[in-house]
Amino acid sequence: MKVLSNIGCFLIGWDKKILNECGEASYRQYRKLLSAICIMMVLWGTIGFCFADRYINIESYVLKTCVSVAFMFIVLCVERVIILTVGKARLMSVMRVLLALCMAVLGSCIFDQIIFRNDIQQAIQEHREDLIEETIKKRLTIYDSDIQRITQEMDSLSKDVIVLNEELQRHPVIRGTNVSTQEQIVGVDEKGKPQKVKTQTVNTVTLANPLAEQLKANNDQILIYSTQLEQLRQDKKVVADKVREEMNQRAAGFIEELEATLKVVSQSKVSLAFYIILFCFLTFLELFVLTIKMGENKCDYELIVENQLYLKKSLVEQTAQSVLVKK
């Protein structure tokens, strides 16, 4: 019992030596505070475990337990701020009430997503069906735009191919002329120097029409466009199945489940009433420690602590005054 008592004093932050000097009223206050803080730690430990399991996707039970312990430690620190406050702290009480409301909302959301799991999954499926239809329409629009663009490019190239074929049929080859100039010695002059005469040679050559290369390039590009067009048409046929498969493989996130929870709660009076009851229940649990601490009657433990504070304050003031008198 002594070990448990020491653990209890450690949890709520009370001094065991002071508690031993107090009466039954302080022990009852001690038990009430310890019970309230244990309830909060168990509650938020459960919420932390569920949160780690569903939304952080932690598979290890050890890590889930660590997250649960972290939640419990945070709640313990928050409650000890209230318990260890000496005297009245109205601003702190207001902040604790607001914090209790926020914590109740978070806790009720997580619990509701567990309790209404089947209804939430159905709501998520309905929402995803609408999202699938919208995504399919968007992707089909993109496919149609690409198909139309490639078709226009193919039509333009096909017209160019027809023109090039007609031109090649009329002029399959191109005749060209090469002119070369040469000097020939026809004799010598009076001084004995050679006399030269320039002669030109004209050769006619036949060349392949360069439009044939352009025609080949256009036909290759049309073939590429045809392959792309066929691939787009094949992808368009299975776009619905691909989108549905992608959506079904995607894990539900916290925001998606939260939106589905709000939809489920808002559509049914029974679920809305249950949510309100759960929210109020968690809120009242959050305010347990605050209501116990802020009660009208103080136990002798709190009176001793306040008296010690008053004595220390008076001692400091007297010491300060004596120092000023000596100066």
Side-chain angles (χ1 to χ4, degrees), residues 43-44 47 55 100-116 120 254 258 261 265 274-283 286:
L43 175 65
W44 280 96
I47 293 175
Y55 304 112
L101 294 175
C102 295
M103 293 174 70
V105 171
L106 293 176
S108 58
C109 288
I110 294 176
F111 276 133
D112 284 341
Q113 291 178 11
I114 296 174
I115 296 171
F116 298 123
I120 290 173
F254 178 76
L258 181 59
T261 302
V265 171
F274 179 82
Y275 177 81
I276 294 174
I277 293 172
L278 181 60
F279 173 76
C280 294
F281 173 73
L282 293 177
T283 304
E286 294 289 343

Side-chain angles (χ1 to χ4, degrees), residues 26-73:
S26 293
Y27 276 95
R28 290 189 177 185
Q29 185 81 341
Y30 158 77
R31 295 188 188 98
K32 287 191 293 184
L33 290 172
L34 182 60
S35 299
I37 205 168
C38 287
I39 291 173
M40 294 305 304
M41 291 177 66
V42 171
L43 175 65
W44 280 96
T46 305
I47 293 175
F49 191 90
C50 296
F51 183 81
D53 182 38
R54 289 179 59 84
Y55 304 112
I56 308 181
N57 296 325
I58 297 178
E59 298 181 357
S60 173
Y61 281 96
V62 176
L63 295 179
K64 292 178 185 177
T65 304
C66 291
V67 175
S68 177
V69 172
F71 273 59
M72 296 168 67
F73 178 75

Side-chain angles (χ1 to χ4, degrees), residues 109-159:
C109 288
I110 294 176
F111 276 133
D112 284 341
Q113 291 178 11
I114 296 174
I115 296 171
F116 298 123
R117 179 181 302 177
N118 295 332
D119 297 324
I120 290 173
Q121 290 298 325
Q122 183 177 356
I124 291 176
Q125 190 63 32
E126 293 176 356
H127 173 70
R128 287 191 174 183
E129 286 295 331
D130 298 335
L131 188 61
I132 286 172
E133 294 297 330
E134 183 179 355
T135 306
I136 289 174
K137 290 180 181 179
K138 289 182 179 179
R139 293 195 182 182
L140 287 177
T141 302
I142 296 173
Y143 279 121
D144 291 337
S145 177
D146 291 340
I147 290 174
Q148 183 179 4
R149 176 180 57 81
I150 293 177
T151 303
Q152 290 176 353
E153 293 290 339
M154 289 182 62
D155 292 340
S156 177
L157 285 176
S158 298
K159 293 178 181 179

Side-chain angles (χ1 to χ4, degrees), residues 138-196:
K138 289 182 179 179
R139 293 195 182 182
L140 287 177
T141 302
I142 296 173
Y143 279 121
D144 291 337
S145 177
D146 291 340
I147 290 174
Q148 183 179 4
R149 176 180 57 81
I150 293 177
T151 303
Q152 290 176 353
E153 293 290 339
M154 289 182 62
D155 292 340
S156 177
L157 285 176
S158 298
K159 293 178 181 179
D160 292 341
V161 167
I162 293 174
V163 174
L164 291 174
N165 276 325
E166 292 177 353
E167 181 67 22
L168 286 174
Q169 288 178 0
R170 290 194 298 267
H171 305 287
V173 295
I174 297 177
R175 298 185 181 276
T177 302
N178 290 331
V179 179
S180 60
T181 302
Q182 296 179 350
E183 291 185 351
Q184 293 181 354
I185 300 175
V186 295
V188 295
D189 57 7
E190 296 175 352
K191 297 180 180 181
K193 293 182 179 181
Q195 294 181 341
K196 298 180 180 180

